[in-house]
Amino acid sequence: MMDPIVLAAGTALVSAMATDAWQQARAATVGLWRRTRPERADRIGAELDVPRGQVLAAREADDEDTEQTLTGAWRLHPHDLLRETPGLAAELQRLLDEHLTPALPESGQARTRSVVMKAEAHDNSRVYMAGGDQHITGA
């Protein structure tokens, strides 16, 4: 299971590609790699240039599948970064909070927030969890 920060960062990064603030979000993202994995920073920067056109085209065509595929692919980079160095979670969260999420329109910012819930039920008890509205009928 991917870390919620990774999920949010990948979503915000791809969403930011379709904004006017993309160059600032891109620079901050490359800056994270430059500080933490300088040997990969130039490659990450070059790879970030390609999907922006794909995201813009997907949005123009209402092609959510392509955007979701790109989001999944771009979650792998921060996932690998945290797998190699778990202590970088705070750096990734800072990138998300200070650069990626603010680059998004308000409607897109909600997609980058994550909720982690865990529950256990014992002795035939019930557990109801929801990340939004929940309506329970029946007993």
Side-chain angles (χ1 to χ4, degrees), residues 2-3 13 24 48 59 81-82 90 100-101 110 139:
M2 279 194 183
D3 188 298
L13 180 64
Q24 293 88 351
L48 281 168
R59 293 240 173 135
L81 193 64
L82 285 186
L100 298 180
T101 302

Side-chain angles (χ1 to χ4, degrees), residues 8-16 19 22 24-26 28-29 92 94-104 109 112:
T11 300
L13 180 64
V14 172
S15 295
T19 69
W22 169 238
Q24 293 88 351
R26 181 193 179 283
T29 301
L92 187 56
R94 194 170 17 265
L95 172 68
L96 181 64
D97 294 343
E98 296 176 8
H99 300 283
L100 298 180
T101 302
L104 304 178
Q109 290 182 12
T112 66

Side-chain angles (χ1 to χ4, degrees), residues 64-85:
E64 291 182 25
D65 290 339
T66 295
E67 191 166 347
Q68 287 301 314
T69 299
L70 290 167
T71 298
W74 276 96
R75 285 176 176 161
L76 294 176
H77 292 290
H79 174 72
D80 291 345
L81 193 64
L82 285 186
R83 189 182 67 225
E84 293 167 8
T85 312

Side-chain angles (χ1 to χ4, degrees), residues 3-132:
D3 188 298
I5 296 170
V6 168
L7 297 173
T11 300
L13 180 64
V14 172
S15 295
M17 290 176 183
T19 69
D20 292 337
W22 169 238
Q23 290 305 316
Q24 293 88 351
R26 181 193 179 283
T29 301
V30 173
L32 172 66
W33 260 265
R34 201 164 305 290
R35 289 187 306 281
T36 60
R37 294 290 183 279
E39 71 282 358
R40 290 194 210 158
D42 290 337
R43 189 186 77 197
I44 291 292
E47 288 178 13
L48 281 168
D49 292 334
V50 175
R52 181 166 197 249
Q54 294 170 320
V55 169
L56 292 171
R59 293 240 173 135
E60 181 73 24
D62 285 330
D63 180 0
E64 291 182 25
D65 290 339
T66 295
E67 191 166 347
Q68 287 301 314
T69 299
L70 290 167
T71 298
W74 276 96
R75 285 176 176 161
L76 294 176
H77 292 290
H79 174 72
D80 291 345
L81 193 64
L82 285 186
R83 189 182 67 225
E84 293 167 8
T85 312
L88 293 177
E91 283 273 335
L92 187 56
Q93 185 69 55
R94 194 170 17 265
L95 172 68
L96 181 64
D97 294 343
E98 296 176 8
H99 300 283
L100 298 180
T101 302
L104 304 178
E106 194 170 313
S107 61
Q109 290 182 12
R111 292 180 57 200
T112 66
R113 293 185 181 91
S114 62
V115 175
V116 177
M117 299 185 291
K118 181 178 178 181
E120 288 186 34
H122 299 281
D123 301 322
N124 295 322
S125 59
R126 295 181 186 184
V127 175
Y128 301 95
M129 298 173 63

